[in-house]
Amino acid sequence: MSEIKVPAMGESITEGTVSRWLVKEGETVNQGDVLLELETDKVNIEISAEESGVLEKIIRQEGETVEIGETIGTLGAGTGGGGGGSGAPASQPATEQQQAAAPAPEAVAVAVATPPAAAAPESSENGTKTASPAARKLARERGIELDQVQSKDPIGRVYQEDVKSHNTQPPASTPAPASKAPAAPAIAPAAGGSTYAKPVERQRMSRRRATIAKRLVEAQQTAAMLTTFNEVDMTAIMDVRKRRKDKFKEKHDIGLGFMSFFTKAVVGALKKFPTINAEIDGEDVVLKKYYDIGIAVSAIEGLVVPVVRDADRLGFAEIEKSIADLASKARSNSLALSDLQGGTFTITNGGTFGSLLSTPILNTPQVGILGMHKIQLRPVAIDAERMENRPMMYIALSYDHRIIDGSEAVRFLVTVKELLEDPESLLIEG
């Protein structure tokens, strides 16, 4: 028998949450087969079988928090068939007749969880729903029929979170007959004195969303965060993209977007103002002599910030390819820890969602973050006598005032603006 342990997942990660087991107790697995998914603060990790055998026991259920090195299950030698709750020992293999006679573990669990009068409920699935062990246990404790629980799983399997969010009254001491009408929902008094039901749905935060919430609050409570604003005339960049995008695409097989221009401009400004490419360590300021730029990307469970490494050494095409690859990984939930660690400065683009102006929150321990916004035609005074409609973008720099003075932050943002309004200079300054 071998133990299934939570592997080390990076120096900044000490625990995770069992997202879902992909193998049931008693099932046979081969070496390298994925046993379960583990959700961490940053990425989801698949844990595979280190040897072939039978999954004898699941120790930590779905939804439970586990620590690095903790044993979460056991894997035994032998051949399983999904029969009993654990694989039969190799010295005493079960016969085919015994396996056929023994009830499946799912059927046993559901028979306990469901009162006899409601053992065969009418449902669209024409049968009993499949549920995780943790979900069956919780449903049994709360007196909930699994067929009444709405599942968020694409294949309809019920998990512990589904049971927790199921809106039901506490069970009575004696189960109600199947023919009895379901109890009416609880009625809450309204402010005006009348009573009526208001539908709600309670969802538990994923580990990643909870961590994002915690760190955003910590950033605001720890750093002396201020934001300064400016606006950029995007005419020159849009003209370059219009003239060069077809040849650029043909040569590099990637589109010429705005992010490469902004990344180059940020790197050029960081070289002039190195304190903004630093972090605070106790009473020391750590000035970083490299430029790993984090690009905020919207994923299913919230914003993640994968990092474009050594952005100062990359050309426009290399930056665009790196960003496209990282964004694709984020959307498919396949980012590795190495993709997320070690950024020195962050760029976030709220303009893709239509944001006109915002104050981005620091991605600690970084001390600066640049916010991009929607490009909008606005009347601009060209000189004392002329006005033109120009494509304008507001940009925002949030910074940690503990080590960055206001004048330094303003000059940094002005430098970014000047580099963007003169794109050819990016080849020199960036």
Side-chain angles (χ1 to χ4, degrees):
M1 182 183 74
S2 63
E3 296 179 335
I4 303 168
K5 294 181 177 288
V6 179
M9 297 174 288
E11 58 183 14
S12 63
I13 297 179
T14 60
E15 63 181 20
T17 300
V18 178
S19 177
R20 65 179 61 188
W21 283 91
L22 304 178
V23 180
K24 298 177 183 178
E25 289 182 347
E27 288 188 344
T28 301
V29 296
N30 296 318
Q31 184 179 9
D33 286 352
V34 179
L35 299 174
L36 71 150
E37 293 179 357
L38 197 67
E39 183 184 4
T40 72
D41 298 345
K42 297 181 178 179
V43 295
N44 283 8
I45 294 185
E46 295 179 339
I47 298 181
S48 303
E50 296 183 356
E51 59 186 50
S52 300
V54 174
L55 181 60
E56 288 191 340
K57 187 176 182 180
I58 294 176
I59 298 175
R60 302 307 297 270
Q61 304 293 338
E62 295 166 356
E64 293 187 320
T65 299
V66 294
E67 297 181 352
I68 303 302
E70 182 178 346
T71 300
I72 56 178
T74 57
L75 193 66
T79 303
S86 61
S91 59
Q92 297 179 349
T95 66
E96 294 182 5
Q97 291 83 355
Q98 289 173 329
Q99 291 178 357
E106 293 288 332
V108 172
V110 173
V112 174
T114 308
E122 294 292 333
S123 65
S124 58
E125 293 88 347
N126 194 25
T128 305
K129 286 186 178 180
T130 303
S132 69
R136 294 198 304 270
K137 181 175 181 293
L138 184 61
R140 186 164 58 248
E141 292 172 352
R142 297 189 177 184
I144 297 173
E145 295 181 12
L146 288 171
D147 289 279
Q148 297 179 356
V149 177
Q150 295 295 322
S151 171
K152 301 180 182 67
D153 186 75
I155 63 174
R157 192 181 189 199
V158 177
Y159 290 94
Q160 190 178 32
E161 290 75 11
D162 299 323
V163 178
K164 288 180 179 179
S165 62
H166 180 69
N167 188 17
T168 185
Q169 289 192 8
S173 56
T174 303
S179 59
K180 185 176 180 180
I187 304 299
S194 61
T195 58
Y196 56 92
K198 290 187 176 181
V200 298
E201 180 180 354
R202 184 183 296 272
Q203 294 183 350
R204 185 174 183 176
M205 282 188 185
S206 67
R207 169 172 288 275
R208 194 165 305 141
R209 170 55 65 184
T211 300
I212 291 172
K214 178 181 177 182
R215 290 181 177 172
L216 290 177
V217 172
E218 286 178 351
Q220 289 184 309
Q221 293 176 339
T222 302
M225 194 176 76
L226 291 178
T227 304
T228 185
F229 303 92
N230 213 312
E231 62 178 348
V232 177
D233 185 343
M234 299 291 289
T235 302
I237 289 179
M238 295 181 77
D239 179 62
V240 169
R241 290 182 71 235
K242 183 178 180 180
R243 290 186 288 106
R244 298 287 185 178
K245 65 178 181 179
D246 292 337
K247 289 185 178 180
F248 189 90
K249 174 78 171 181
E250 181 180 346
K251 181 177 181 180
H252 301 290
D253 195 29
I254 189 74
L256 179 58
F258 293 112
M259 291 306 301
S260 51
F261 289 95
F262 276 82
T263 302
K264 282 288 189 180
V266 161
V267 169
L270 289 174
K271 289 181 177 180
K272 290 186 177 181
F273 302 94
T275 306
I276 302 177
N277 198 50
E279 69 176 69
I280 298 174
D281 183 12
E283 295 185 355
D284 296 332
V285 175
V286 181
L287 297 172
K288 299 176 181 179
K289 304 296 184 179
Y290 57 95
Y291 304 90
D292 288 352
I293 307 301
I295 306 295
V297 176
S298 179
I300 295 175
E301 294 185 352
L303 210 63
V304 291
V305 188
V307 179
V308 176
R309 307 288 174 187
D310 298 317
D312 57 318
R313 302 179 185 179
L314 302 180
F316 280 76
E318 292 171 308
I319 292 174
E320 292 291 350
K321 288 179 180 179
S322 295
I323 294 174
D325 179 58
L326 293 169
S328 177
K329 286 184 177 181
R331 287 189 288 269
S332 63
N333 200 27
S334 59
L335 285 169
L337 289 174
S338 58
D339 295 324
L340 299 165
Q341 294 175 331
T344 63
F345 185 92
T346 294
I347 302 174
T348 180
N349 185 5
T352 58
F353 305 105
S355 173
L356 187 61
L357 193 62
S358 67
T359 55
I361 298 178
L362 291 173
N363 182 22
T364 56
Q366 298 171 22
V367 295
I369 179 172
L370 179 76
M372 300 166 56
H373 299 91
K374 179 181 178 181
I375 299 174
Q376 188 178 58
L377 281 175
R378 291 198 289 272
V380 176
I382 304 303
D383 53 37
E385 299 177 356
R386 288 187 303 147
M387 297 282 291
E388 288 186 9
N389 286 331
R390 293 289 183 93
M392 305 298 292
M393 176 193 287
Y394 290 119
I395 56 175
L397 173 71
S398 291
Y399 60 97
D400 194 337
H401 203 11
R402 290 180 296 174
I403 63 170
I404 301 172
D405 292 333
S407 61
E408 188 177 18
V410 170
R411 286 183 290 136
F412 172 90
L413 202 58
V414 168
T415 301
V416 170
K417 167 187 168 67
E418 291 173 346
L419 289 172
L420 291 170
E421 291 181 343
D422 182 15
E424 283 80 1
S425 66
L426 294 175
L427 298 174
I428 302 173
E429 302 291 344

